[in-house]
Amino acid sequence: MNATIEYVRFETADPAELTAQRDRLISLLRERYGSDFLGAHLARYEDGSLIDLILWASPEAAARAAREMPGDPAAAGFFSLIGEVHEMRHAEVLHSTQP
């Protein structure tokens, strides 16, 4: 199986609070998905929209988390701060490197 990147571009009215709530979300991802959760990055575009890039061990793990996490009460603090979602996609990792 190939690693998969989950790409989500969205708006939020409160980037600071969303970032604070994201720590809990990342802990939940580690707890619930174990070695299938490989890492994540949150960034802001110049227009103020945010991008969340999450690396999963497989497309199945990415799809499972995408189904389960938005409705999970333990992750509600994070997801309640997401406004308009511009795009959410999964992509197969073809090549990667680490320092």
Side-chain angles (χ1 to χ4, degrees), residues 20-60:
Q21 290 291 326
R22 192 164 182 274
D23 286 335
R24 176 66 182 135
L25 176 69
I26 296 302
S27 293
L28 283 169
L29 295 176
R30 285 187 178 118
E31 179 183 305
R32 302 258 169 89
Y33 302 100
S35 62
D36 282 335
F37 172 71
L38 302 178
H41 299 277
L42 180 68
R44 182 176 19 216
Y45 285 105
E46 290 178 0
D47 68 1
S49 65
L50 301 181
I51 181 173
D52 206 349
L53 296 170
I54 302 175
L55 185 59
W56 295 101
S58 70
E60 293 81 11

PDB file of all heavy atoms in Angstrom, residues 20-60:
ATOM      1  N   ALA A  20      -5.011  25.961  18.293  1.00  0.00           N
ATOM      2  CA  ALA A  20      -4.980  25.428  19.660  1.00  0.00           C
ATOM      3  C   ALA A  20      -5.773  24.120  19.748  1.00  0.00           C
ATOM      4  O   ALA A  20      -5.332  23.164  20.396  1.00  0.00           O
ATOM      5  CB  ALA A  20      -5.537  26.456  20.635  1.00  0.00           C
ATOM      6  N   GLN A  21      -6.921  24.065  19.110  1.00  0.00           N
ATOM      7  CA  GLN A  21      -7.747  22.855  19.124  1.00  0.00           C
ATOM      8  C   GLN A  21      -7.116  21.721  18.316  1.00  0.00           C
ATOM      9  O   GLN A  21      -7.390  20.548  18.558  1.00  0.00           O
ATOM     10  CB  GLN A  21      -9.140  23.154  18.563  1.00  0.00           C
ATOM     11  CG  GLN A  21      -9.992  24.013  19.455  1.00  0.00           C
ATOM     12  CD  GLN A  21     -10.403  23.295  20.718  1.00  0.00           C
ATOM     13  OE1 GLN A  21     -10.626  22.084  20.731  1.00  0.00           O
ATOM     14  NE2 GLN A  21     -10.511  24.039  21.802  1.00  0.00           N
ATOM     15  N   ARG A  22      -6.264  22.059  17.386  1.00  0.00           N
ATOM     16  CA  ARG A  22      -5.634  21.049  16.529  1.00  0.00           C
ATOM     17  C   ARG A  22      -4.712  20.137  17.316  1.00  0.00           C
ATOM     18  O   ARG A  22      -4.540  18.961  16.976  1.00  0.00           O
ATOM     19  CB  ARG A  22      -4.873  21.724  15.394  1.00  0.00           C
ATOM     20  CG  ARG A  22      -4.447  20.731  14.316  1.00  0.00           C
ATOM     21  CD  ARG A  22      -4.060  21.476  13.063  1.00  0.00           C
ATOM     22  NE  ARG A  22      -3.687  20.574  11.997  1.00  0.00           N
ATOM     23  CZ  ARG A  22      -2.469  20.070  11.836  1.00  0.00           C
ATOM     24  NH1 ARG A  22      -1.499  20.378  12.666  1.00  0.00           N
ATOM     25  NH2 ARG A  22      -2.216  19.264  10.822  1.00  0.00           N
ATOM     26  N   ASP A  23      -4.109  20.641  18.387  1.00  0.00           N
ATOM     27  CA  ASP A  23      -3.266  19.782  19.226  1.00  0.00           C
ATOM     28  C   ASP A  23      -4.065  18.577  19.722  1.00  0.00           C
ATOM     29  O   ASP A  23      -3.572  17.449  19.716  1.00  0.00           O
ATOM     30  CB  ASP A  23      -2.694  20.554  20.413  1.00  0.00           C
ATOM     31  CG  ASP A  23      -1.587  21.511  20.010  1.00  0.00           C
ATOM     32  OD1 ASP A  23      -0.932  21.280  18.979  1.00  0.00           O
ATOM     33  OD2 ASP A  23      -1.393  22.497  20.745  1.00  0.00           O
ATOM     34  N   ARG A  24      -5.308  18.812  20.153  1.00  0.00           N
ATOM     35  CA  ARG A  24      -6.173  17.710  20.615  1.00  0.00           C
ATOM     36  C   ARG A  24      -6.510  16.779  19.452  1.00  0.00           C
ATOM     37  O   ARG A  24      -6.513  15.565  19.607  1.00  0.00           O
ATOM     38  CB  ARG A  24      -7.446  18.278  21.249  1.00  0.00           C
ATOM     39  CG  ARG A  24      -8.441  17.239  21.663  1.00  0.00           C
ATOM     40  CD  ARG A  24      -7.914  16.369  22.809  1.00  0.00           C
ATOM     41  NE  ARG A  24      -8.882  15.358  23.148  1.00  0.00           N
ATOM     42  CZ  ARG A  24      -8.596  14.088  23.363  1.00  0.00           C
ATOM     43  NH1 ARG A  24      -7.350  13.677  23.324  1.00  0.00           N
ATOM     44  NH2 ARG A  24      -9.526  13.225  23.645  1.00  0.00           N
ATOM     45  N   LEU A  25      -6.782  17.350  18.280  1.00  0.00           N
ATOM     46  CA  LEU A  25      -7.079  16.528  17.116  1.00  0.00           C
ATOM     47  C   LEU A  25      -5.900  15.616  16.775  1.00  0.00           C
ATOM     48  O   LEU A  25      -6.085  14.414  16.536  1.00  0.00           O
ATOM     49  CB  LEU A  25      -7.418  17.403  15.905  1.00  0.00           C
ATOM     50  CG  LEU A  25      -7.641  16.635  14.604  1.00  0.00           C
ATOM     51  CD1 LEU A  25      -8.920  15.818  14.669  1.00  0.00           C
ATOM     52  CD2 LEU A  25      -7.650  17.572  13.419  1.00  0.00           C
ATOM     53  N   ILE A  26      -4.704  16.153  16.777  1.00  0.00           N
ATOM     54  CA  ILE A  26      -3.518  15.346  16.447  1.00  0.00           C
ATOM     55  C   ILE A  26      -3.338  14.228  17.472  1.00  0.00           C
ATOM     56  O   ILE A  26      -3.028  13.090  17.116  1.00  0.00           O
ATOM     57  CB  ILE A  26      -2.253  16.236  16.353  1.00  0.00           C
ATOM     58  CG1 ILE A  26      -2.391  17.239  15.199  1.00  0.00           C
ATOM     59  CG2 ILE A  26      -0.989  15.397  16.217  1.00  0.00           C
ATOM     60  CD1 ILE A  26      -2.614  16.636  13.830  1.00  0.00           C
ATOM     61  N   SER A  27      -3.569  14.514  18.735  1.00  0.00           N
ATOM     62  CA  SER A  27      -3.500  13.466  19.763  1.00  0.00           C
ATOM     63  C   SER A  27      -4.523  12.373  19.494  1.00  0.00           C
ATOM     64  O   SER A  27      -4.220  11.183  19.636  1.00  0.00           O
ATOM     65  CB  SER A  27      -3.741  14.058  21.151  1.00  0.00           C
ATOM     66  OG  SER A  27      -2.690  14.910  21.510  1.00  0.00           O
ATOM     67  N   LEU A  28      -5.727  12.767  19.098  1.00  0.00           N
ATOM     68  CA  LEU A  28      -6.764  11.792  18.769  1.00  0.00           C
ATOM     69  C   LEU A  28      -6.373  10.943  17.568  1.00  0.00           C
ATOM     70  O   LEU A  28      -6.593   9.725  17.566  1.00  0.00           O
ATOM     71  CB  LEU A  28      -8.086  12.493  18.469  1.00  0.00           C
ATOM     72  CG  LEU A  28      -8.870  12.995  19.657  1.00  0.00           C
ATOM     73  CD1 LEU A  28     -10.005  13.903  19.204  1.00  0.00           C
ATOM     74  CD2 LEU A  28      -9.411  11.829  20.466  1.00  0.00           C
ATOM     75  N   LEU A  29      -5.816  11.572  16.546  1.00  0.00           N
ATOM     76  CA  LEU A  29      -5.391  10.816  15.366  1.00  0.00           C
ATOM     77  C   LEU A  29      -4.329   9.784  15.734  1.00  0.00           C
ATOM     78  O   LEU A  29      -4.387   8.633  15.284  1.00  0.00           O
ATOM     79  CB  LEU A  29      -4.873  11.759  14.280  1.00  0.00           C
ATOM     80  CG  LEU A  29      -5.906  12.714  13.671  1.00  0.00           C
ATOM     81  CD1 LEU A  29      -5.231  13.662  12.687  1.00  0.00           C
ATOM     82  CD2 LEU A  29      -7.047  11.971  13.024  1.00  0.00           C
ATOM     83  N   ARG A  30      -3.384  10.174  16.551  1.00  0.00           N
ATOM     84  CA  ARG A  30      -2.339   9.235  16.994  1.00  0.00           C
ATOM     85  C   ARG A  30      -2.948   8.082  17.794  1.00  0.00           C
ATOM     86  O   ARG A  30      -2.587   6.919  17.611  1.00  0.00           O
ATOM     87  CB  ARG A  30      -1.307   9.958  17.841  1.00  0.00           C
ATOM     88  CG  ARG A  30      -0.371  10.808  17.052  1.00  0.00           C
ATOM     89  CD  ARG A  30       0.744  11.357  17.924  1.00  0.00           C
ATOM     90  NE  ARG A  30       1.643  12.136  17.119  1.00  0.00           N
ATOM     91  CZ  ARG A  30       1.876  13.439  17.296  1.00  0.00           C
ATOM     92  NH1 ARG A  30       1.282  14.093  18.278  1.00  0.00           N
ATOM     93  NH2 ARG A  30       2.697  14.079  16.503  1.00  0.00           N
ATOM     94  N   GLU A  31      -3.862   8.433  18.693  1.00  0.00           N
ATOM     95  CA  GLU A  31      -4.507   7.451  19.562  1.00  0.00           C
ATOM     96  C   GLU A  31      -5.373   6.471  18.761  1.00  0.00           C
ATOM     97  O   GLU A  31      -5.312   5.266  18.960  1.00  0.00           O
ATOM     98  CB  GLU A  31      -5.360   8.215  20.574  1.00  0.00           C
ATOM     99  CG  GLU A  31      -6.134   7.389  21.553  1.00  0.00           C
ATOM    100  CD  GLU A  31      -6.972   8.298  22.431  1.00  0.00           C
ATOM    101  OE1 GLU A  31      -6.413   9.221  23.058  1.00  0.00           O
ATOM    102  OE2 GLU A  31      -8.201   8.092  22.455  1.00  0.00           O
ATOM    103  N   ARG A  32      -6.182   6.991  17.871  1.00  0.00           N
ATOM    104  CA  ARG A  32      -7.158   6.167  17.151  1.00  0.00           C
ATOM    105  C   ARG A  32      -6.576   5.403  15.970  1.00  0.00           C
ATOM    106  O   ARG A  32      -7.043   4.327  15.649  1.00  0.00           O
ATOM    107  CB  ARG A  32      -8.297   7.034  16.635  1.00  0.00           C
ATOM    108  CG  ARG A  32      -9.008   7.790  17.702  1.00  0.00           C
ATOM    109  CD  ARG A  32     -10.330   7.155  18.076  1.00  0.00           C
ATOM    110  NE  ARG A  32     -10.870   7.751  19.275  1.00  0.00           N
ATOM    111  CZ  ARG A  32     -11.666   8.805  19.297  1.00  0.00           C
ATOM    112  NH1 ARG A  32     -12.026   9.380  18.176  1.00  0.00           N
ATOM    113  NH2 ARG A  32     -12.108   9.271  20.444  1.00  0.00           N
ATOM    114  N   TYR A  33      -5.582   5.976  15.297  1.00  0.00           N
ATOM    115  CA  TYR A  33      -5.093   5.374  14.059  1.00  0.00           C
ATOM    116  C   TYR A  33      -3.669   4.844  14.159  1.00  0.00           C
ATOM    117  O   TYR A  33      -3.166   4.259  13.207  1.00  0.00           O
ATOM    118  CB  TYR A  33      -5.251   6.366  12.902  1.00  0.00           C
ATOM    119  CG  TYR A  33      -6.698   6.782  12.758  1.00  0.00           C
ATOM    120  CD1 TYR A  33      -7.149   7.985  13.267  1.00  0.00           C
ATOM    121  CD2 TYR A  33      -7.624   5.926  12.172  1.00  0.00           C
ATOM    122  CE1 TYR A  33      -8.491   8.347  13.185  1.00  0.00           C
ATOM    123  CE2 TYR A  33      -8.966   6.282  12.085  1.00  0.00           C
ATOM    124  CZ  TYR A  33      -9.390   7.484  12.597  1.00  0.00           C
ATOM    125  OH  TYR A  33     -10.715   7.826  12.521  1.00  0.00           O
ATOM    126  N   GLY A  34      -3.021   5.062  15.281  1.00  0.00           N
ATOM    127  CA  GLY A  34      -1.704   4.480  15.527  1.00  0.00           C
ATOM    128  C   GLY A  34      -0.719   4.714  14.397  1.00  0.00           C
ATOM    129  O   GLY A  34      -0.535   5.836  13.935  1.00  0.00           O
ATOM    130  N   SER A  35      -0.108   3.630  13.944  1.00  0.00           N
ATOM    131  CA  SER A  35       0.934   3.743  12.925  1.00  0.00           C
ATOM    132  C   SER A  35       0.391   4.111  11.548  1.00  0.00           C
ATOM    133  O   SER A  35       1.173   4.394  10.641  1.00  0.00           O
ATOM    134  CB  SER A  35       1.727   2.437  12.837  1.00  0.00           C
ATOM    135  OG  SER A  35       0.861   1.378  12.451  1.00  0.00           O
ATOM    136  N   ASP A  36      -0.936   4.140  11.371  1.00  0.00           N
ATOM    137  CA  ASP A  36      -1.504   4.602  10.101  1.00  0.00           C
ATOM    138  C   ASP A  36      -1.439   6.118   9.961  1.00  0.00           C
ATOM    139  O   ASP A  36      -1.509   6.645   8.859  1.00  0.00           O
ATOM    140  CB  ASP A  36      -2.969   4.160   9.953  1.00  0.00           C
ATOM    141  CG  ASP A  36      -3.093   2.704   9.545  1.00  0.00           C
ATOM    142  OD1 ASP A  36      -2.149   2.170   8.928  1.00  0.00           O
ATOM    143  OD2 ASP A  36      -4.141   2.109   9.838  1.00  0.00           O
ATOM    144  N   PHE A  37      -1.322   6.829  11.085  1.00  0.00           N
ATOM    145  CA  PHE A  37      -1.173   8.290  11.062  1.00  0.00           C
ATOM    146  C   PHE A  37       0.312   8.605  11.041  1.00  0.00           C
ATOM    147  O   PHE A  37       1.046   8.283  11.976  1.00  0.00           O
ATOM    148  CB  PHE A  37      -1.841   8.914  12.289  1.00  0.00           C
ATOM    149  CG  PHE A  37      -1.558  10.387  12.432  1.00  0.00           C
ATOM    150  CD1 PHE A  37      -2.122  11.293  11.559  1.00  0.00           C
ATOM    151  CD2 PHE A  37      -0.718  10.854  13.424  1.00  0.00           C
ATOM    152  CE1 PHE A  37      -1.860  12.654  11.671  1.00  0.00           C
ATOM    153  CE2 PHE A  37      -0.452  12.203  13.551  1.00  0.00           C
ATOM    154  CZ  PHE A  37      -1.020  13.101  12.671  1.00  0.00           C
ATOM    155  N   LEU A  38       0.769   9.253   9.965  1.00  0.00           N
ATOM    156  CA  LEU A  38       2.208   9.481   9.793  1.00  0.00           C
ATOM    157  C   LEU A  38       2.652  10.918  10.060  1.00  0.00           C
ATOM    158  O   LEU A  38       3.845  11.163  10.202  1.00  0.00           O
ATOM    159  CB  LEU A  38       2.622   9.077   8.376  1.00  0.00           C
ATOM    160  CG  LEU A  38       2.337   7.624   7.988  1.00  0.00           C
ATOM    161  CD1 LEU A  38       2.740   7.375   6.544  1.00  0.00           C
ATOM    162  CD2 LEU A  38       3.032   6.658   8.941  1.00  0.00           C
ATOM    163  N   GLY A  39       1.737  11.868  10.103  1.00  0.00           N
ATOM    164  CA  GLY A  39       2.129  13.246  10.367  1.00  0.00           C
ATOM    165  C   GLY A  39       1.158  14.223   9.737  1.00  0.00           C
ATOM    166  O   GLY A  39       0.257  13.838   8.984  1.00  0.00           O
ATOM    167  N   ALA A  40       1.352  15.512  10.080  1.00  0.00           N
ATOM    168  CA  ALA A  40       0.430  16.528   9.577  1.00  0.00           C
ATOM    169  C   ALA A  40       1.086  17.909   9.610  1.00  0.00           C
ATOM    170  O   ALA A  40       1.971  18.166  10.432  1.00  0.00           O
ATOM    171  CB  ALA A  40      -0.836  16.542  10.412  1.00  0.00           C
ATOM    172  N   HIS A  41       0.610  18.760   8.708  1.00  0.00           N
ATOM    173  CA  HIS A  41       1.044  20.151   8.643  1.00  0.00           C
ATOM    174  C   HIS A  41      -0.177  21.032   8.423  1.00  0.00           C
ATOM    175  O   HIS A  41      -1.035  20.709   7.600  1.00  0.00           O
ATOM    176  CB  HIS A  41       2.022  20.381   7.481  1.00  0.00           C
ATOM    177  CG  HIS A  41       3.273  19.584   7.596  1.00  0.00           C
ATOM    178  ND1 HIS A  41       4.337  19.989   8.355  1.00  0.00           N
ATOM    179  CD2 HIS A  41       3.610  18.387   7.060  1.00  0.00           C
ATOM    180  CE1 HIS A  41       5.296  19.077   8.268  1.00  0.00           C
ATOM    181  NE2 HIS A  41       4.873  18.102   7.494  1.00  0.00           N
ATOM    182  N   LEU A  42      -0.230  22.141   9.129  1.00  0.00           N
ATOM    183  CA  LEU A  42      -1.281  23.144   8.939  1.00  0.00           C
ATOM    184  C   LEU A  42      -0.595  24.427   8.513  1.00  0.00           C
ATOM    185  O   LEU A  42       0.384  24.856   9.138  1.00  0.00           O
ATOM    186  CB  LEU A  42      -2.049  23.375  10.240  1.00  0.00           C
ATOM    187  CG  LEU A  42      -3.174  24.397  10.202  1.00  0.00           C
ATOM    188  CD1 LEU A  42      -4.329  23.899   9.336  1.00  0.00           C
ATOM    189  CD2 LEU A  42      -3.683  24.680  11.622  1.00  0.00           C
ATOM    190  N   ALA A  43      -1.093  25.046   7.447  1.00  0.00           N
ATOM    191  CA  ALA A  43      -0.476  26.276   6.932  1.00  0.00           C
ATOM    192  C   ALA A  43      -1.556  27.254   6.488  1.00  0.00           C
ATOM    193  O   ALA A  43      -2.705  26.867   6.260  1.00  0.00           O
ATOM    194  CB  ALA A  43       0.446  25.947   5.761  1.00  0.00           C
ATOM    195  N   ARG A  44      -1.152  28.522   6.366  1.00  0.00           N
ATOM    196  CA  ARG A  44      -2.087  29.559   5.933  1.00  0.00           C
ATOM    197  C   ARG A  44      -1.608  30.162   4.624  1.00  0.00           C
ATOM    198  O   ARG A  44      -0.440  30.520   4.471  1.00  0.00           O
ATOM    199  CB  ARG A  44      -2.193  30.655   6.993  1.00  0.00           C
ATOM    200  CG  ARG A  44      -3.193  31.722   6.617  1.00  0.00           C
ATOM    201  CD  ARG A  44      -3.431  32.798   7.661  1.00  0.00           C
ATOM    202  NE  ARG A  44      -2.394  32.892   8.653  1.00  0.00           N
ATOM    203  CZ  ARG A  44      -2.625  33.176   9.934  1.00  0.00           C
ATOM    204  NH1 ARG A  44      -3.833  33.396  10.362  1.00  0.00           N
ATOM    205  NH2 ARG A  44      -1.627  33.263  10.780  1.00  0.00           N
ATOM    206  N   TYR A  45      -2.539  30.276   3.679  1.00  0.00           N
ATOM    207  CA  TYR A  45      -2.266  30.963   2.413  1.00  0.00           C
ATOM    208  C   TYR A  45      -2.338  32.472   2.625  1.00  0.00           C
ATOM    209  O   TYR A  45      -2.892  32.953   3.625  1.00  0.00           O
ATOM    210  CB  TYR A  45      -3.318  30.577   1.357  1.00  0.00           C
ATOM    211  CG  TYR A  45      -3.149  29.198   0.791  1.00  0.00           C
ATOM    212  CD1 TYR A  45      -3.991  28.166   1.179  1.00  0.00           C
ATOM    213  CD2 TYR A  45      -2.170  28.918  -0.157  1.00  0.00           C
ATOM    214  CE1 TYR A  45      -3.865  26.893   0.649  1.00  0.00           C
ATOM    215  CE2 TYR A  45      -2.034  27.652  -0.693  1.00  0.00           C
ATOM    216  CZ  TYR A  45      -2.881  26.642  -0.286  1.00  0.00           C
ATOM    217  OH  TYR A  45      -2.752  25.381  -0.819  1.00  0.00           O
ATOM    218  N   GLU A  46      -1.815  33.219   1.656  1.00  0.00           N
ATOM    219  CA  GLU A  46      -1.848  34.688   1.731  1.00  0.00           C
ATOM    220  C   GLU A  46      -3.265  35.239   1.789  1.00  0.00           C
ATOM    221  O   GLU A  46      -3.498  36.294   2.363  1.00  0.00           O
ATOM    222  CB  GLU A  46      -1.107  35.292   0.537  1.00  0.00           C
ATOM    223  CG  GLU A  46       0.387  35.089   0.604  1.00  0.00           C
ATOM    224  CD  GLU A  46       1.119  35.639  -0.608  1.00  0.00           C
ATOM    225  OE1 GLU A  46       0.475  36.195  -1.523  1.00  0.00           O
ATOM    226  OE2 GLU A  46       2.353  35.512  -0.641  1.00  0.00           O
ATOM    227  N   ASP A  47      -4.245  34.518   1.211  1.00  0.00           N
ATOM    228  CA  ASP A  47      -5.630  34.985   1.234  1.00  0.00           C
ATOM    229  C   ASP A  47      -6.329  34.695   2.565  1.00  0.00           C
ATOM    230  O   ASP A  47      -7.493  35.018   2.750  1.00  0.00           O
ATOM    231  CB  ASP A  47      -6.441  34.401   0.070  1.00  0.00           C
ATOM    232  CG  ASP A  47      -6.664  32.892   0.182  1.00  0.00           C
ATOM    233  OD1 ASP A  47      -6.225  32.252   1.167  1.00  0.00           O
ATOM    234  OD2 ASP A  47      -7.300  32.342  -0.736  1.00  0.00           O
ATOM    235  N   GLY A  48      -5.631  34.070   3.510  1.00  0.00           N
ATOM    236  CA  GLY A  48      -6.181  33.767   4.823  1.00  0.00           C
ATOM    237  C   GLY A  48      -6.760  32.372   4.953  1.00  0.00           C
ATOM    238  O   GLY A  48      -7.014  31.917   6.073  1.00  0.00           O
ATOM    239  N   SER A  49      -6.984  31.682   3.843  1.00  0.00           N
ATOM    240  CA  SER A  49      -7.490  30.309   3.934  1.00  0.00           C
ATOM    241  C   SER A  49      -6.377  29.410   4.469  1.00  0.00           C
ATOM    242  O   SER A  49      -5.188  29.747   4.417  1.00  0.00           O
ATOM    243  CB  SER A  49      -8.000  29.817   2.588  1.00  0.00           C
ATOM    244  OG  SER A  49      -6.959  29.717   1.647  1.00  0.00           O
ATOM    245  N   LEU A  50      -6.775  28.272   5.012  1.00  0.00           N
ATOM    246  CA  LEU A  50      -5.828  27.338   5.603  1.00  0.00           C
ATOM    247  C   LEU A  50      -5.769  26.064   4.770  1.00  0.00           C
ATOM    248  O   LEU A  50      -6.726  25.701   4.089  1.00  0.00           O
ATOM    249  CB  LEU A  50      -6.246  26.984   7.027  1.00  0.00           C
ATOM    250  CG  LEU A  50      -6.349  28.150   8.002  1.00  0.00           C
ATOM    251  CD1 LEU A  50      -6.759  27.655   9.375  1.00  0.00           C
ATOM    252  CD2 LEU A  50      -5.050  28.918   8.092  1.00  0.00           C
ATOM    253  N   ILE A  51      -4.650  25.387   4.881  1.00  0.00           N
ATOM    254  CA  ILE A  51      -4.492  24.081   4.265  1.00  0.00           C
ATOM    255  C   ILE A  51      -4.005  23.122   5.343  1.00  0.00           C
ATOM    256  O   ILE A  51      -3.103  23.447   6.113  1.00  0.00           O
ATOM    257  CB  ILE A  51      -3.511  24.100   3.068  1.00  0.00           C
ATOM    258  CG1 ILE A  51      -3.411  22.715   2.449  1.00  0.00           C
ATOM    259  CG2 ILE A  51      -2.179  24.656   3.446  1.00  0.00           C
ATOM    260  CD1 ILE A  51      -2.619  22.657   1.165  1.00  0.00           C
ATOM    261  N   ASP A  52      -4.650  21.987   5.410  1.00  0.00           N
ATOM    262  CA  ASP A  52      -4.240  20.929   6.324  1.00  0.00           C
ATOM    263  C   ASP A  52      -3.782  19.762   5.463  1.00  0.00           C
ATOM    264  O   ASP A  52      -4.533  19.278   4.614  1.00  0.00           O
ATOM    265  CB  ASP A  52      -5.410  20.506   7.217  1.00  0.00           C
ATOM    266  CG  ASP A  52      -4.954  19.923   8.541  1.00  0.00           C
ATOM    267  OD1 ASP A  52      -3.750  19.646   8.698  1.00  0.00           O
ATOM    268  OD2 ASP A  52      -5.810  19.751   9.430  1.00  0.00           O
ATOM    269  N   LEU A  53      -2.544  19.357   5.641  1.00  0.00           N
ATOM    270  CA  LEU A  53      -1.977  18.213   4.929  1.00  0.00           C
ATOM    271  C   LEU A  53      -1.698  17.126   5.959  1.00  0.00           C
ATOM    272  O   LEU A  53      -0.917  17.335   6.881  1.00  0.00           O
ATOM    273  CB  LEU A  53      -0.676  18.596   4.224  1.00  0.00           C
ATOM    274  CG  LEU A  53      -0.792  19.623   3.120  1.00  0.00           C
ATOM    275  CD1 LEU A  53       0.582  20.081   2.671  1.00  0.00           C
ATOM    276  CD2 LEU A  53      -1.577  19.053   1.951  1.00  0.00           C
ATOM    277  N   ILE A  54      -2.363  16.000   5.802  1.00  0.00           N
ATOM    278  CA  ILE A  54      -2.190  14.888   6.732  1.00  0.00           C
ATOM    279  C   ILE A  54      -1.659  13.707   5.947  1.00  0.00           C
ATOM    280  O   ILE A  54      -2.184  13.366   4.882  1.00  0.00           O
ATOM    281  CB  ILE A  54      -3.515  14.534   7.430  1.00  0.00           C
ATOM    282  CG1 ILE A  54      -4.046  15.765   8.178  1.00  0.00           C
ATOM    283  CG2 ILE A  54      -3.323  13.361   8.386  1.00  0.00           C
ATOM    284  CD1 ILE A  54      -5.395  15.574   8.813  1.00  0.00           C
ATOM    285  N   LEU A  55      -0.634  13.078   6.468  1.00  0.00           N
ATOM    286  CA  LEU A  55      -0.018  11.935   5.811  1.00  0.00           C
ATOM    287  C   LEU A  55      -0.480  10.648   6.486  1.00  0.00           C
ATOM    288  O   LEU A  55      -0.352  10.491   7.708  1.00  0.00           O
ATOM    289  CB  LEU A  55       1.509  12.049   5.857  1.00  0.00           C
ATOM    290  CG  LEU A  55       2.305  10.989   5.111  1.00  0.00           C
ATOM    291  CD1 LEU A  55       1.953  10.985   3.624  1.00  0.00           C
ATOM    292  CD2 LEU A  55       3.792  11.222   5.310  1.00  0.00           C
ATOM    293  N   TRP A  56      -1.031   9.759   5.659  1.00  0.00           N
ATOM    294  CA  TRP A  56      -1.553   8.472   6.121  1.00  0.00           C
ATOM    295  C   TRP A  56      -0.756   7.337   5.498  1.00  0.00           C
ATOM    296  O   TRP A  56      -0.215   7.472   4.403  1.00  0.00           O
ATOM    297  CB  TRP A  56      -3.019   8.331   5.730  1.00  0.00           C
ATOM    298  CG  TRP A  56      -3.895   9.334   6.408  1.00  0.00           C
ATOM    299  CD1 TRP A  56      -4.383  10.488   5.878  1.00  0.00           C
ATOM    300  CD2 TRP A  56      -4.371   9.281   7.749  1.00  0.00           C
ATOM    301  NE1 TRP A  56      -5.137  11.160   6.803  1.00  0.00           N
ATOM    302  CE2 TRP A  56      -5.152  10.443   7.963  1.00  0.00           C
ATOM    303  CE3 TRP A  56      -4.223   8.369   8.786  1.00  0.00           C
ATOM    304  CZ2 TRP A  56      -5.771  10.706   9.181  1.00  0.00           C
ATOM    305  CZ3 TRP A  56      -4.843   8.640  10.002  1.00  0.00           C
ATOM    306  CH2 TRP A  56      -5.607   9.789  10.183  1.00  0.00           C
ATOM    307  N   ALA A  57      -0.736   6.205   6.161  1.00  0.00           N
ATOM    308  CA  ALA A  57       0.001   5.041   5.667  1.00  0.00           C
ATOM    309  C   ALA A  57      -0.660   4.408   4.449  1.00  0.00           C
ATOM    310  O   ALA A  57       0.014   3.726   3.679  1.00  0.00           O
ATOM    311  CB  ALA A  57       0.147   4.007   6.777  1.00  0.00           C
ATOM    312  N   SER A  58      -1.958   4.634   4.274  1.00  0.00           N
ATOM    313  CA  SER A  58      -2.670   3.997   3.162  1.00  0.00           C
ATOM    314  C   SER A  58      -3.913   4.810   2.799  1.00  0.00           C
ATOM    315  O   SER A  58      -4.407   5.591   3.614  1.00  0.00           O
ATOM    316  CB  SER A  58      -3.104   2.583   3.551  1.00  0.00           C
ATOM    317  OG  SER A  58      -4.133   2.651   4.529  1.00  0.00           O
ATOM    318  N   PRO A  59      -4.437   4.599   1.603  1.00  0.00           N
ATOM    319  CA  PRO A  59      -5.681   5.279   1.238  1.00  0.00           C
ATOM    320  C   PRO A  59      -6.855   4.827   2.101  1.00  0.00           C
ATOM    321  O   PRO A  59      -7.764   5.602   2.381  1.00  0.00           O
ATOM    322  CB  PRO A  59      -5.891   4.929  -0.232  1.00  0.00           C
ATOM    323  CG  PRO A  59      -4.987   3.792  -0.525  1.00  0.00           C
ATOM    324  CD  PRO A  59      -3.897   3.816   0.501  1.00  0.00           C
ATOM    325  N   GLU A  60      -6.819   3.584   2.548  1.00  0.00           N
ATOM    326  CA  GLU A  60      -7.889   3.073   3.416  1.00  0.00           C
ATOM    327  C   GLU A  60      -7.907   3.800   4.757  1.00  0.00           C
ATOM    328  O   GLU A  60      -8.972   4.143   5.271  1.00  0.00           O
ATOM    329  CB  GLU A  60      -7.734   1.559   3.630  1.00  0.00           C
ATOM    330  CG  GLU A  60      -7.950   0.732   2.382  1.00  0.00           C
ATOM    331  CD  GLU A  60      -6.732   0.657   1.457  1.00  0.00           C
ATOM    332  OE1 GLU A  60      -5.623   1.068   1.860  1.00  0.00           O
ATOM    333  OE2 GLU A  60      -6.911   0.218   0.305  1.00  0.00           O
TER     334      GLU A  60
END
